[in-house]
Amino acid sequence: QKEVEQDPGPLSVPEGAIVSLNCTYSNSAFQYFMWYRQYSRKGPELLMYTYSSGNKEDGRFTAQVDKSSKYISLFIRDSQPSDSATYLCAMSLNLYNQGGKLIFGQGTELSVKP
Amino acid sequence: EAQVTQNPRYLITVTGKKLTVTCSQNMNHEYMSWYRQDPGLGLRQIYYSMNVEVTDKGDVPEGYKVSRKEKRNFPLILESPSPNQTSLYFCASRRTGAGNTIYFGEGSWLTVV
């Protein structure tokens, strides 16, 4: 069983839809949770960063962490064609274990249709 | 502009021919690392460095070497590349004390034939 599970999709939605992306994980010791966006042939770009539990909002993006369920989510409101990309969840134990190594999900490919 | 720069971006090489992928960051970050990205396996850490002259293995270090002689540079060396090292490679960096906000380079597509 992988430490971090993420449905690879692809997920296709119409422009303006609310998108929900999710990851589950098995290691309850994870403390840092991140969402990255990766466009084709580009490096992952940090979108959202959360320490421990709770919600975080940044513009059209909301990240949620539910440590009791070992489940994290990213919501995209009013989705745009420019949001079409692969979304990667990532998490780490701390800043010291292998330098704060990130454990990534496989990524969900999202397509927003005009 | 703050960035992590990798070179080359694309490379096709032959088995056994030594190659180096360079990585440079202009943010004065202490921490740097290399990841590889493979279909179905996601991104996995190869090596990391907490500061100059301090390097250590990640999860998939076999067949790779690194060095950290200067703070800004962290080259990845493949002494004798093999086809199973065909992958997309990313260099990343982070400032110590900045949580775990890791920034990635644009990636280097490496094909070993």
Side-chain angles (χ1 to χ4, degrees):
Chain A
Q1 183 191 5
K2 293 179 180 175
E3 280 192 282
V4 179
E5 299 275 1
Q6 184 178 8
D7 186 340
L11 178 63
S12 183
V13 302
E15 183 175 356
I18 296 174
V19 176
S20 172
L21 303 167
N22 311 294
C23 287
T24 59
Y25 61 94
S26 57
N27 191 341
S28 58
F30 284 136
Q31 295 188 75
Y32 295 87
F33 303 91
M34 286 135 280
W35 285 95
Y36 283 83
R37 177 174 61 196
Q38 186 176 20
Y39 291 115
S40 181
R41 297 186 174 273
K42 295 288 189 180
E45 170 194 9
L46 181 64
L47 266 182
M48 301 289 282
Y49 168 84
T50 308
Y51 172 69
S52 193
S53 285
N55 296 356
K56 189 170 186 177
E57 188 173 323
D58 184 2
R60 296 184 295 112
F61 298 90
T62 299
Q64 290 183 351
V65 176
D66 182 349
K67 292 189 78 176
S68 62
S69 301
K70 296 184 200 156
Y71 188 87
I72 69 171
S73 302
L74 177 71
F75 297 95
I76 307 174
R77 290 183 299 281
D78 187 26
S79 57
Q80 303 295 308
S82 58
D83 294 328
S84 298
T86 296
Y87 288 81
L88 303 159
C89 65
M91 43 200 83
S92 68
L93 296 173
N94 50 49
L95 303 180
Y96 309 105
N97 181 56
Q98 291 185 227
K101 176 187 71 173
L102 297 180
I103 308 296
F104 282 87
Q106 283 194 62
T108 299
E109 185 182 344
L110 171 67
S111 177
V112 181
K113 304 294 187 186
Chain B
E1 180 188 352
Q3 56 187 9
V4 179
T5 304
Q6 300 177 221
N7 279 295
R9 295 288 317 280
Y10 303 92
L11 179 64
I12 299 175
T13 190
V14 296
T15 299
K17 185 177 181 181
K18 180 180 178 179
L19 69 92
T20 299
V21 185
T22 64
C23 174
S24 180
Q25 49 94 4
N26 63 359
M27 296 169 278
N28 201 37
H29 286 172
E30 293 84 6
Y31 167 87
M32 297 184 74
S33 64
W34 279 98
Y35 286 78
R36 59 179 288 174
Q37 186 175 30
D38 301 288
L41 297 175
L43 283 130
R44 295 174 292 165
Q45 189 189 62
I46 303 170
Y47 266 95
Y48 68 98
S49 168
M50 297 299 288
N51 214 323
V52 176
E53 301 292 1
V54 180
T55 64
D56 209 343
K57 297 177 181 179
D59 290 328
V60 288
E62 294 76 22
Y64 305 96
K65 284 175 58 177
V66 292
S67 69
R68 187 91 183 273
K69 292 182 169 48
E70 305 165 284
K71 197 172 187 180
R72 63 182 293 126
N73 297 322
F74 190 45
L76 179 69
I77 303 155
L78 286 74
E79 293 272 1
S80 182
S82 62
N84 64 12
Q85 292 178 295
T86 293
S87 187
L88 175 57
Y89 291 88
F90 290 103
C91 182
S93 73
R94 165 173 66 84
R95 181 172 58 85
T96 301
N100 213 358
T101 50
I102 294 178
Y103 297 92
F104 286 84
E106 293 282 84
S108 295
W109 289 86
L110 172 63
T111 301
V112 184
V113 298

